[in-house]
């Protein structure tokens, strides 16, 4: 029985708490939040958990085996390090840290202590992304040519992070799962239309070692909510539309072979389309199970520190490219330089 | 009665011929195409027109007052110049020329001869774009923050032009009509997934003098056809979805004021949406009428040489940026340098 | 402060409890359910409410002013009568009773005791139906010609009620709100494709005194979920699509005048379309407020006993018509005969 | 080489002429229309065909082997009989005649003369209906439980026929192709909202011998165009949405077995969905080929006189039911009585 401590009961914490509360081999031991009001809500929903306003006390508590960190980004590093140094497993919100350097230190610490360090890239555990990953791994769509995502809506203007850190981070995590090559460069441009606020619109291109490309269109100032990703392969193509209530993932049998493409018109859709049934299990529950499973088995989670680091590296490179009006930033250099 | 000559009866020529054939104050006098087979089809459809395999003869014919040029891009300059020098009005396919330099020479020649030089930017004459232009001009949506277009499908791989010249050119022409500022720089990246073929996927960012941005996503290797443009304004936003059979243009009353945006969550859609009825008149007919009207009145068409030139400048700048992996190319410099 | 008692904490009861728990002038005093397990859940969610396994005790409790009944249909009459006879206000689930006769007795009892009798027709309190009602009342769409609803999905096969009692009842309640005439006859046909189960598919036509018509298509065995209603008026038409996340209600300016309709083709959509912003307030909360407001003011709720009775009459007439393979059943006769 | 004569060059005739003009083993010999203006258009489009204002002369012409009749319904019987009596093959517009009696006489005459009598039920030859027919015949969807079609739009008010004869006739023809049982009764109700015009809205239920049902919702006064058919089977279900540009036919793996359906909630969509690639060949061309093939082979066309008769029987029964406010009309009795 793994005894879990939760740091932060604001926006996301309650979801984590709920996800782990139904598990057989884990128990929500403590909830820590600086706000007494948040703790009151936590107590009503989780009467079995001990409450504290001191996150440090919770992390230090001998009855806590693993810590889930759902606090602002700026605190991820210190809290995670505190827990890791005490030999406790950590599940930390994305992005795992503010800089690649700090993410690397966290990974090294987890390795030294031989504990699990996992990043909460929730989308990776959805039925949709799991199915797409399986389809790509099966070779059904052939080589992945591109990942092209539109993630826009009329959204909350964050005070501290821009639209890249808020929305593109989801795509980075999904790409980390789906793309079978190493990202080598990022070109990003961003614009802020409201004075004194963070950028609310950005376009990013990610170049992969094998020639594949990813492109992200993220925007907080769009009239409708769009969550649509096209994935082009040499044999088939995929549309992942997260706004659909059914048929979120469609696989089109319409790959273009070079000779045909040259000599004649490619027909609009030459083959069948198939929308596989997706698991309806809640992504957070799947993720929580992965965390507990890896703790018990001593294995590496799907969204481990290494994948979390690459997401942070992409965020850092995107920010740097933005400041240079889209000048492409080399990811490998960045890595080596740091 | 304006007597028209048509150069080229291949893919687009028949549409132009049909569009002008019902007009009261113009007549299709001659059709020229090098292919006897094309001419045969032309004769069946337009028994009243004289036919010739010599485009030069048609242009020189004293009974031809104005020339419509629907031949490959590489021939636009020579044919247009031939006609202009003979004092004939010209309606030329887009892009009007292969380089900005040539476009400028054409404009100068038309001015010298005091004839109409018009570019066939058909989309500008659709009911949808006309309505959007009117809405923007009325001030209803406030300042235009961005134009964000997705124009993808499973398409014919052209032999000679890449996806930017084939698809983005439409957006450039529409932006030329809608954006109320001068484009100052373009950043573009393109990828070709089929060896030895032109690039089939590209992403372009256009920076405007007043801070507005345009972004284009064009792709020949997409599983479905998407023609969707978001236009964000300070007061309202527009979605233009050309794949819809009705309600192609939707205006959302969801502008975000800075103070509200900062202090609280912007609601998903705070106001009404309205889909204005669009003119169902065929765009090419509207365009042909504009051509004849300008010839008769000696006035400047909506899509004149100057707008055609800016489209060519954007194409040239986009190509240059692509060759530098997205490095932004200054449009003003380009103009002055040339 | 109105002290509320809730009978039934199964599927719907928790929603009612939650809806009233945030109100200022009402308090959830007691929750009654025969199942101790249900009561345990009730206690966790509503620690301030007293719990009992005896619904009769709750109804008789002197500290309960008004009763909300969320138990199976077969119990509605007895429980409601028990409460009404004790001078308590009643909010009862739809359908309010199994027969029109019983519904009439309930109405008479409520009138005699001078208490509020309200039926839980939740859809009537949604932002969508409220907006449509307002649009119709404003005269904007002119005379209402028809109400045509498709309400199908892959659904649970109920043991005791057929698809008409499960799904068409929602439309009956909405029609009761929107249609400005008296229903005079119903023709209904139903089919059951799974042996030994209630009918899972039905089509109903409702004839109104003024010539208007309603038509309902309800089905538990459909591949996708559809919730779409067309409302045709002499001036404008409405589409109410409850599966849309935004733009649930669209108003089309496309009325057909008789002379035009005869002489020429009616254009596909001659005017603008408008999607009004809808209230996002939860329907159940609006409904609970209406209940408390009517108790305090001694006024008649929007969905009072009389409207509940007409819904039950329509259900009864529909069932009778089904047993005669669609033979139309006169609603007025039915009323007088009973 | 079959020499074809076409009667009628109004709305539909030009389509038939175009469809046969590209065939190898047939030739458009003559076109007849009472209107000289129509003939002029015919001559321009089909310079090889002889023209006449006398349909009788065309039918009698010794160089005409087969006649295509695209004139108003009221003339179908006389013209078809004239041609059949002269031993000529006939392809006649739907509905083939105004009454079942006349349709039967036509069938008998064709049999006596040993010539092909085919009805132009164009929808039956579309890629979509062909694919659905193949899927049903393969047994993939199991027993067909129902056919449920919505065919509404803002349409032309016809002077002489109501919405059933204009729109439901298409569904009758498709049902004739897809349903594997005999229709035994029809219940139909119709309403006309514009005074002095034919009924513009109707709902029809068709009962089949094996318990299957069809339901049609047809309407000329709807705000949007809907062409959607649900087909429910014991193993799978189909959606046929003719307004989609791609994926017109979707097959859902969501059949409900009786035991599961009773014991537990049927999940929203338990299996995969598949959208088969459809033939993009023009339906009219497929149909014309079937006509010529049957003439040459002496075989029976897919849409022969017998299927045309059943469509006319259904139209007659629907009209009779409408006049009795939905009272179901027995199709078998009708047949025997006539």
């Amino acid at each position: 029985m793994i005894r879990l401590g939760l740091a932060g009961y604001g926006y996301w914490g309650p979801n984590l708490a709920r996800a782990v509360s139904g598990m057989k081999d884990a128990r929500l031991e403590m909830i820590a939040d600086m706000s007494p009001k948040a703790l009151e809500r936590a107590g009503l929903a989780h009467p079995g958990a001990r409450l504290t306003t001191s996150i440090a006390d919770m992390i230090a508590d001998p009855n806590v085996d693993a810590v889930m960190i759902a606090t602002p980004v700026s605190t991820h590093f210190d809290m995670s390090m505190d827990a890791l140094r005490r030999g406790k497993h950590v599940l930390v919100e994305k992005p795992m840290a503010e800089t690649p350097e700090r993410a690397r230190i966290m990974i090294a610490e987890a390795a030294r202590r031989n504990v699990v360090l996992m990043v909460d890239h929730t989308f990776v555990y959805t039925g949709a992304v799991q199915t797409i990953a399986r389809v790509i791994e099966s070779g059904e769509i052939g080589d992945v040519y591109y990942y092209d995502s539109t993630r826009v809506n009329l959204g909350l203007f964050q005070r501290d992070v821009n639209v890249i850190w808020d929305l593109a981070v989801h795509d980075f995590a999904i790409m980390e799962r789906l793309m079978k090559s190493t990202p080598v460069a990022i070109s990003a441009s961003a614009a802020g239309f409201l004075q004194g606020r963070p950028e609310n619109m950005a376009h990013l291109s990610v170049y992969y070692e094998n020639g594949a490309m990813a492109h992200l269109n993220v925007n907080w100032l769009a009239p409708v909510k769009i969550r649509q990703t096209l994935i082009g392969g040499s044999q088939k193509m995929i549309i992942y539309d997260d706004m659909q209530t059914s048929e979120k993932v469609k696989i089109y049998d319409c790959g273009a072979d070079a000779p045909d493409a040259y000599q004649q018109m490619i027909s609009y859709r030459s083959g069948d389309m198939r929308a596989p049934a997706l698991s309806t299990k809640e992504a957070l529950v799947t993720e929580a199970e992965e965390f507990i499973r890896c703790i018990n088995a001593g294995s590496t989670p799907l969204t481990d520190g290494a994948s979390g680091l690459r997401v942070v590296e992409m965020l850092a490179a995107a920010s740097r490219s933005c400041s240079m009006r889209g000048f492409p930033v080399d990811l490998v250099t960045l890595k080596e330089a740091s």
Side-chain angles (χ1 to χ4, degrees), chain A:
Chain A
M1 176 66 63
I2 307 297
R3 295 164 300 176
L4 297 163
L6 172 62
Y9 201 81
Y11 168 65
W12 193 244
N15 296 329
L16 281 174
R18 188 175 37 71
V20 299
S21 65
M23 298 185 70
K24 287 215 182 81
D25 42 5
R27 188 175 80 216
L28 189 54
E29 180 72 25
M30 289 184 80
I31 301 176
D33 196 296
M34 293 189 308
S35 151
K37 214 167 161 184
L39 279 187
E40 199 185 313
R41 281 184 290 115
L44 276 169
H46 301 280
R50 280 184 292 140
L51 308 176
T52 173
T53 52
S54 163
I55 293 177
D57 283 0
M58 182 274 287
I59 293 176
D61 195 284
N63 286 321
V64 165
D65 307 312
V67 172
M68 302 185 295
I69 298 172
T71 52
V73 183
S74 57
T75 65
H76 287 181
F77 178 74
D78 287 340
M79 289 186 191
S80 298
M81 288 302 288
D82 188 10
L84 294 170
R85 284 193 195 108
R86 292 172 188 276
K88 305 199 172 183
H89 310 281
V90 168
L91 171 62
V92 62
E93 269 312 282
K94 50 97 195 133
M96 69 186 288
E98 289 173 297
T99 64
E101 293 71 23
R102 294 190 145 194
R104 275 187 210 104
I105 296 170
M106 290 159 72
I107 292 170
E109 189 64 35
R112 186 174 313 131
R113 305 291 176 174
N114 203 22
V115 293
V116 172
L117 171 60
M118 177 165 163
V119 186
D120 179 11
H121 292 159
T122 320
F123 266 101
V124 170
Y125 297 95
T126 58
V129 174
Q130 284 181 316
T131 296
I132 296 171
R134 212 171 306 126
V135 168
I136 291 177
E137 271 153 24
S138 76
E140 181 180 349
I141 73 162
D143 297 331
V144 176
Y145 285 155
Y146 65 82
Y147 173 99
D148 196 326
S149 177
T150 303
R151 192 177 292 271
V152 307
N153 55 275
L154 196 58
L156 179 64
F157 271 70
Q158 310 278 346
R159 279 160 207 263
D160 41 3
V161 301
N162 68 13
V163 71
I164 293 177
W165 284 72
D166 183 46
L167 294 182
V169 65
H170 296 304
D171 285 300
F172 287 157
I174 296 171
M175 286 151 56
E176 183 54 32
R177 176 77 182 89
L178 300 182
M179 302 299 277
K180 296 297 155 207
S181 179
T182 306
V184 290
I186 288 190
S187 165
S189 60
F193 298 120
L194 302 197
Q195 272 209 325
R197 315 287 167 224
E199 292 92 344
N200 61 272
M201 169 171 164
H203 299 92
L204 305 93
S205 295
V206 182
Y207 302 83
Y208 283 84
E209 210 167 34
N210 66 354
M213 271 200 69
H215 184 263
L216 316 181
N217 179 346
V218 291
N219 193 346
W220 281 336
L221 259 188
V224 291
K225 188 172 184 179
I226 302 176
R227 293 284 183 271
Q228 186 173 273
T229 305
L230 308 185
I231 300 171
S234 57
Q235 301 303 322
K236 295 191 180 180
M237 302 195 200
I238 295 174
I239 293 186
Y240 164 30
D241 185 342
D242 207 34
M243 295 305 293
Q244 298 295 317
T245 46
S246 62
E247 299 153 44
K248 278 181 199 290
V249 175
K250 294 179 177 177
I251 304 162
Y252 292 81
D253 185 6
C254 60
D257 297 318
D260 289 10
Y262 189 68
Q263 265 136 21
Q264 63 187 58
M265 186 71 178
I266 301 173
S267 73
Y268 179 71
R269 179 160 76 79
S270 49
D272 289 6
M273 182 270 275
R274 172 169 73 87
L278 305 179
S279 163
T280 55
K281 189 169 178 175
E282 200 187 345
L284 259 186
V285 172
T286 305
E287 182 181 317
E289 289 173 359
E290 170 84 348
F291 185 44
I292 301 304
R293 188 187 65 76
C294 289
I295 292 174
N296 286 329
S299 54
T300 305
L302 197 57
T303 53
D304 63 351
S307 66
L309 166 61
R310 278 186 298 267
V311 168
V312 175
E313 285 174 342
M314 286 198 263
L315 286 169
S319 295
R320 206 195 284 190
S321 178
C322 280
S323 68
M324 297 184 291
R325 221 181 194 176
F327 188 88
V329 169
D330 200 325
L331 274 163
V332 183
T333 311
L334 188 82
K335 197 147 121 195
E336 286 165 358
S338 62

